[in-house]
Amino acid sequence: MEKEKILENLAFAIVEGDEDKAVENAKAAMEAKLDPLETVENGLSKGMDDIGEKFGKGEVFLPELLMAANAFKSAMEILKPELEAQKMQTAQKGTILIGTVKGDVHNIGKDIVSTVLETKGFNVVDIGVDNDTLSIIQEAEKAQADVIALSCLMTTTMPAQKEFIEVLEEMNLREKYFVIVGGGPVTQEWADEIKADGYGESAVEAPVLVKELIRKK
Amino acid sequence: MTSKQVESVHEASLEILENVGVLVRNQEARQLYVQHGCEEEIESSVIKFPRAVVEQFRQSIPSSFTFHGRDPSFDRTIPEDGPIFCTGSSAPDIFDLESNEVRRSRSDDIARIAHLVNELPGYDLFAISVTADDAPDGQQSLSRFYPALKNCQKPVYGSAPSIDEVFDILKLCFLIAGREAAFWERPFICLGYCPVISPLTMDVESTEKLIRFTELGVPCYGVMAPTAGLSAPLTLTGSLALTNAEFLAQTTLEQILKPGKPIIYEALPTVVDVRNGAYSPGGIETGILLMGCAQMADFYNIPSGGFAGLTNAKSSDVQSGFETGMSSVAALLAGLDLLRIGGLLDALKIFDFSKVVIDNEIALMLKQAARGIQFSEDNLALDTIAETGPGGTFLNKSHTIERMRTTPFLPDIADRLSWSQWKTGGAITPQAQALNRVREILSVDNPAVFSAEVDQSIREEFVGLVAGDSLPIAASMKPI
Ligand code: B12
């Protein structure tokens, strides 16, 4: 099969969220000795961009976006060994550590934010709910995160976001990470007050916000 | 659902509990389950429930639940006194009454809302509708319960972030009741908790609350909040089966701890907006799922409740009216005993004074609907029909006059004027009419407030406590 066709099929399989087809086409790409980096960029990522655009326009729904992300991940597994063998690196978009703060177990919004970030190609490390400040910092160090995203759904747990930034400062780590905040009662004013680097009202704002921050780095 | 279908949902729930099980993060709870016949998968902390265990413990759940008010005339027992109505709880934000801007909620808002709810006849209970952003450190719960209890004699429902705060709330209640024993005779508060994080997970801290509150003997029960399509299957039947399994898991623990503990089968079920993941309690599916919950509760012969009548609307407007009306009427007709209907906008995030008054009217209409056609020989009115005869009028008959103030529901908010009367009267909107009622009620001294001595003893015990008074509205209140 010719190169263009394979890449087109791959992108299409991603848009369709068809994991089997995505894997099949990723294998076909490798068999046809296509450049792995180009396969990622013009096949897989192109598919994600297409479906992302459709989602933005309301043409596809959230579950379809998640299926696409799944297909992306599985196809990526096929390409990884080849990428590594050729010592190639896909353009790193950045690592985001995400979790809810101490005392807060509301995970639905956080989960949506983390999947939307994944669909945009970010490396997302989700540390779940009810995390105390020090363990978030530990995890961020371990993951070598660029951005720490803190979700919280209650006015009673919001102070933990503030405390987190204060502790980062005390530990002289504030410059190392971008910190963004969100969740039901969180507002831009609150983000400004606690000197967070960004705030997003909804999940779709998260990748835009993160991209902007990482570019500044 | 037919009774066969209800049984199938029950069977499905037993199967879920037996085969899939529940991840119980709280160690004490895991031990209790195991001691009473459940099996634990050691590595995963998943508890599997043999059906016999579930069937055994649900037998001890009482068939009724009583809420006590500070004033006993406000005591309510469901299902007997149902359907009963309650305000929505814990909104972090509020439309400021004076400026009509949205801001964080405070304890003085709670005082005003309590005052209103005390006066509005549609409400049977007061669930503390907002949070208290002005609470002094360590007095989070006191800053909510004190203004609530001070200004409302109806039963007060609320939550507490920790066990320590519950001891403070109880101390407050003992001071109000005069003696500790007097409070325990008629405990006039009820506490809520949410141990279940769907799907099939029980949290550490909220499960701890279930255990400690139940041991204390304070009236309390749990609420499940599944979101179909996210934390539950998208199909309503599957979502109901899962929620029901979660209810059974939670209540098994309650009954293990205290056999015969009264509870309510209560839920806040929603369906995700698949287009973007939005939380949508205003959807009609919330009403439909609550119909299912009411039927399951009936099957178990226990009282039911739920968040019927929530809305995603951002102001007290057409959307808020139809969303509140539609899902609450659905739940009501299926026999839900307790409807948490009042006052909240934007998916439980904003409280609005005009909405709480409009919802009072909806509650009164729903109570009227629940009474339905009250059949009796006397109500057949055969004598009056004969007396009036063909072509006559019933307007001037004593039959009408005797019943005209009690039989029909006479709305206070809904407008029934003629076009020109309405126009010359200022074309008042329901929202403006509702705010007029708020102004009226709040301008009169609140008869519910407790005595100066009681208040003094409370303020001596809890130094630095918020004022907790329902303030009259500033003359500057912006008309809508
Ligand atoms: C479902 C729910 C629950 C479920 C949670 C289930 C679960 N798996 O998460 C259960 C029943 C367990 C629960 C428990 C409690 N809850 Co609750 N809960 C809710 C409810 C109704 C919906 C939350 C939700 O899922 N929203 C949907 C998602 C999609 O929205 P979201 O989380 O806001 O996320 C979006 C954006 O905010 C943004 N976002 C989120 N995070 C981040 C992070 C970043 C970095 C960015 C950029 C963006 C972003 O993107 C998301 C997608 O667009 C809210 C009300 C509400 N409308 O939020 C109350 C609410 C948050 N809960 C409340 C309360 C009081 C409680 C309890 C204390 C109740 C009790 N008596 O025990 C407990 C506390 C548990 C705890 N310790 O955390 C109050 C909070 C009041 C306050 N103080 O502020 C609320 C407001 C409801 C109310 N009025 O009572 N709750």
Side-chain angles (χ1 to χ4, degrees):
Chain A
M1 222 186 311
E2 67 202 279
K3 175 173 146 190
E4 298 306 315
K5 188 75 194 155
I6 295 177
L7 293 180
E8 201 178 294
N9 285 348
L10 195 49
F12 187 69
I14 300 294
V15 173
E16 290 287 293
D18 189 331
E19 195 175 344
D20 294 344
K21 279 247 166 62
V23 168
E24 198 179 291
N25 281 295
K27 282 182 181 155
M30 293 303 93
E31 271 158 29
K33 301 253 174 296
L34 296 192
D35 178 66
L37 201 57
E38 200 187 338
T39 311
V40 174
E41 275 160 16
N42 297 340
L44 292 181
S45 295
K46 164 132 193 341
M48 278 321 289
D49 286 347
D50 288 354
I51 192 159
E53 198 177 308
K54 287 190 169 151
F55 178 71
K57 286 194 222 147
E59 287 168 17
V60 303
F61 294 174
L62 191 61
E64 294 168 294
L65 195 63
L66 305 192
M67 292 292 281
N70 246 352
F72 180 95
K73 265 196 217 159
S74 304
M76 206 54 197
E77 290 303 313
I78 307 293
L79 301 182
K80 246 188 208 153
E82 199 55 36
L83 282 169
E84 275 160 19
Q86 301 193 24
K87 297 210 173 7
M88 286 178 167
Q89 276 207 335
T90 48
Q92 271 295 325
K93 284 199 166 175
T95 296
I96 295 116
L97 184 97
I98 186 166
T100 76
V101 296
K102 187 76 200 148
D104 208 315
V105 301
H106 296 88
N107 62 1
I108 289 176
K110 180 228 10 137
D111 288 355
I112 296 179
V113 173
S114 104
T115 356
V116 168
L117 284 169
E118 270 181 5
T119 61
K120 293 285 179 186
F122 293 100
N123 176 29
V124 181
V125 180
D126 188 336
I127 54 168
V129 296
D130 197 12
N131 297 285
D132 62 49
T133 295
L134 291 180
S135 69
I136 301 174
I137 296 174
Q138 258 172 23
E139 295 290 341
E141 295 279 288
K142 207 161 74 192
Q144 297 184 302
D146 301 294
V147 179
I148 299 174
L150 300 179
S151 178
C152 116
L153 265 278
M154 299 192 289
T155 51
T156 44
T157 48
M158 279 168 64
Q161 290 182 332
K162 182 165 187 237
E163 183 204 277
F164 179 80
I165 292 177
E166 287 165 359
V167 173
L168 266 191
E169 260 162 23
E170 278 163 28
M171 294 173 73
N172 283 325
L173 289 169
R174 185 64 189 92
E175 300 303 309
K176 200 168 168 188
Y177 303 105
F178 292 111
V179 180
I180 62 169
V181 291
V186 179
T187 59
Q188 183 66 55
E189 291 80 65
W190 171 252
D192 294 343
E193 187 189 324
I194 65 171
K195 302 199 189 77
D197 300 300
Y199 157 76
E201 191 184 22
S202 71
V204 281
E205 284 162 40
V208 185
L209 190 65
V210 167
K211 213 171 181 179
E212 197 95 309
L213 288 173
I214 290 180
R215 204 174 36 213
K216 272 200 246 161
K217 205 169 178 177
Chain B
M1 293 185 288
T2 62
S3 52
K4 246 193 125 140
Q5 289 166 340
V6 168
E7 261 174 68
S8 302
V9 172
H10 171 63
E11 285 299 320
S13 304
L14 292 179
E15 196 178 314
I16 296 168
L17 290 174
E18 196 155 34
N19 299 332
V20 186
V22 175
L23 169 59
V24 180
R25 295 194 193 277
N26 183 301
Q27 195 201 340
E28 191 178 350
R30 283 200 303 275
Q31 270 171 7
L32 284 162
Y33 279 127
V34 170
Q35 281 161 13
H36 292 82
C38 297
E39 286 138 36
E40 179 179 355
E41 285 183 0
I42 303 294
E43 279 110 78
S44 63
S45 299
V46 166
I47 294 288
K48 301 266 174 87
F49 297 71
R51 57 183 298 144
V53 175
V54 181
E55 291 289 21
Q56 177 200 337
F57 282 100
R58 79 172 169 88
Q59 301 303 332
S60 56
I61 309 172
S63 59
S64 67
F65 187 97
T66 299
F67 290 98
H68 294 285
R70 238 191 334 118
D71 172 347
S73 71
F74 290 124
D75 287 7
R76 294 287 183 277
T77 297
I78 51 175
E80 290 85 331
D81 299 332
I84 61 172
F85 291 85
C86 176
T87 41
S89 50
S90 302
D93 289 335
I94 188 165
F95 271 98
D96 182 272
L97 200 43
E98 271 88 5
S99 72
N100 202 33
E101 303 279 334
V102 174
R103 58 154 170 82
R104 279 283 115 96
S105 320
R106 301 186 303 244
S107 64
D108 53 322
D109 298 317
I110 297 175
R112 280 174 162 177
I113 302 166
H115 182 179
L116 273 177
V117 169
N118 194 63
E119 297 299 319
L120 293 169
Y123 295 110
D124 299 284
L125 323 173
F126 176 42
I128 308 176
S129 304
V130 298
T131 56
D133 203 43
D134 57 334
D137 275 348
Q139 294 191 345
Q140 201 68 44
S141 301
L142 278 173
S143 305
R144 301 183 64 224
F145 276 87
Y146 170 65
L149 287 163
K150 189 175 186 178
N151 292 284
C152 185
Q153 295 187 305
K154 295 179 180 177
V156 170
Y157 172 103
S159 58
S162 70
I163 311 293
D164 291 347
E165 298 207 13
V166 172
F167 288 116
D168 278 342
I169 298 172
L170 286 175
K171 221 186 270 172
L172 170 71
C173 291
F174 300 157
L175 289 169
I176 295 170
R179 285 174 308 118
E180 197 174 324
F183 171 76
W184 288 118
E185 264 162 46
R186 303 185 56 265
F188 43 76
I189 60 166
C190 178
L191 299 176
Y193 42 74
C194 305
V196 173
I197 318 289
S198 306
L200 299 169
T201 304
M202 285 172 75
D203 169 39
V204 184
E205 278 174 38
S206 293
T207 307
E208 165 99 12
K209 285 192 208 172
L210 178 156
I211 298 173
R212 297 282 97 80
F213 296 1
T214 302
E215 283 173 347
L216 270 172
V218 63
C220 59
Y221 61 87
V223 180
M224 293 84 58
T227 300
L230 267 170
S231 58
L234 186 64
T235 51
L236 301 189
T237 324
S239 188
L240 183 62
L242 183 79
T243 306
N244 192 58
E246 293 170 338
F247 164 74
L248 289 170
Q250 160 186 305
T251 207
T252 297
L253 184 59
E254 290 169 324
Q255 297 302 318
I256 285 175
L257 285 158
K258 197 162 265 185
K261 171 190 167 162
I263 52 137
I264 297 175
Y265 185 126
E266 189 167 290
L268 160 48
T270 53
V271 175
V272 65
D273 189 320
V274 283
R275 291 171 298 187
N276 50 23
Y279 187 68
S280 32
I284 188 64
E285 287 83 1
T286 293
I288 305 171
L289 283 164
L290 285 173
M291 295 171 93
C293 292
Q295 283 198 284
M296 295 317 297
D298 251 6
F299 174 70
Y300 299 132
N301 193 24
I302 56 181
S304 58
F307 288 71
L310 292 174
T311 178
N312 285 81
K314 308 301 180 290
S315 73
S316 178
D317 56 14
V318 176
Q319 182 185 344
S320 91
F322 73 71
E323 287 186 337
T324 297
M326 300 224 12
S327 64
S328 58
V329 88
L332 176 102
L333 293 177
L336 202 73
D337 301 309
L338 164 62
L339 286 86
R340 294 175 170 267
I341 186 176
L344 305 192
L345 294 169
D346 193 17
L348 301 95
K349 286 191 291 200
I350 305 178
F351 177 88
D352 182 74
F353 281 96
S354 67
K355 183 157 190 336
V356 86
V357 173
I358 293 170
D359 292 347
N360 170 69
E361 183 149 309
I362 295 179
L364 291 169
M365 290 169 80
L366 292 170
K367 284 186 181 189
Q368 178 82 335
R371 279 190 289 271
I373 293 181
Q374 294 182 289
F375 183 87
S376 71
E377 291 299 327
D378 185 48
N379 281 345
L380 274 178
L382 288 179
D383 291 348
T384 315
I385 294 170
E387 184 196 336
T388 307
T393 177
F394 292 90
L395 195 57
N396 57 5
K397 295 292 175 299
S398 58
H399 176 90
T400 305
I401 291 163
E402 280 157 18
R403 293 164 178 80
M404 66 185 186
R405 288 177 205 283
T406 50
T407 297
F409 171 67
L410 303 172
D412 179 33
I413 304 300
D415 161 71
R416 292 175 176 178
L417 299 173
S418 72
W419 176 266
S420 56
Q421 282 172 329
W422 174 74
K423 199 83 185 159
T424 47
I428 306 278
T429 63
Q431 197 190 7
Q433 175 66 5
L435 286 174
N436 287 338
R437 279 292 284 148
V438 173
R439 212 179 270 121
E440 255 170 57
I441 294 175
L442 296 187
S443 65
V444 177
D445 279 346
N446 185 359
V449 176
F450 34 64
S451 72
E453 300 89 77
V454 169
D455 203 38
Q456 200 190 338
S457 65
I458 294 169
R459 305 201 65 84
E460 275 165 15
E461 176 72 41
F462 303 109
V463 178
L465 190 57
V466 294
D469 296 317
S470 163
L471 305 169
I473 301 176
S476 63
M477 176 177 160
K478 254 207 206 133
I480 302 280

